[in-house]
Amino acid sequence: EGLKYGRLEKVKIEKENTFAFGDNTNDLGMFEFCGTSYASIGAKPAIKKCADKISRNIEKDFLEIIKND
């Protein structure tokens, strides 16, 4: 919730530069808010449906994001 109310503006981060990683329905809020969302391969179907990308290896995908930044 806090991200929606000014934290991104405060630290000058654009929404398109934010990422969320999740596997369960409690992650849906992050997925809706962040620029790019990743669901793990074993995630609940509702999460996979909402995710921008499905990840076979969350750690590898996260490291690629950091490396390319």
Side-chain angles (χ1 to χ4, degrees):
E1 264 322 289
L3 290 175
K4 292 181 186 178
Y5 297 105
R7 294 197 183 200
L8 288 179
E9 291 87 9
K10 188 174 183 178
V11 294
K12 298 181 172 129
I13 297 173
E14 299 293 327
K15 181 177 177 174
E16 59 268 10
N17 293 325
T18 60
F19 304 90
F21 295 85
D23 65 352
N24 210 330
T25 54
N26 65 316
D27 299 318
L28 285 173
M30 286 190 309
F31 277 24
E32 292 171 2
F33 180 74
C34 287
T36 305
S37 57
Y38 290 81
S40 63
I41 194 77
K44 301 272 186 188
I47 291 293
K48 288 182 179 180
K49 183 177 179 180
C50 292
D52 296 312
K53 299 179 180 189
I54 307 296
S55 175
R56 291 187 176 276
N57 186 322
I58 293 287
E59 292 86 5
K60 182 179 175 187
D61 287 339
F62 180 70
L63 291 173
E64 281 296 315
I65 290 168
I66 293 171
K67 186 172 94 174
N68 292 323
D69 188 15

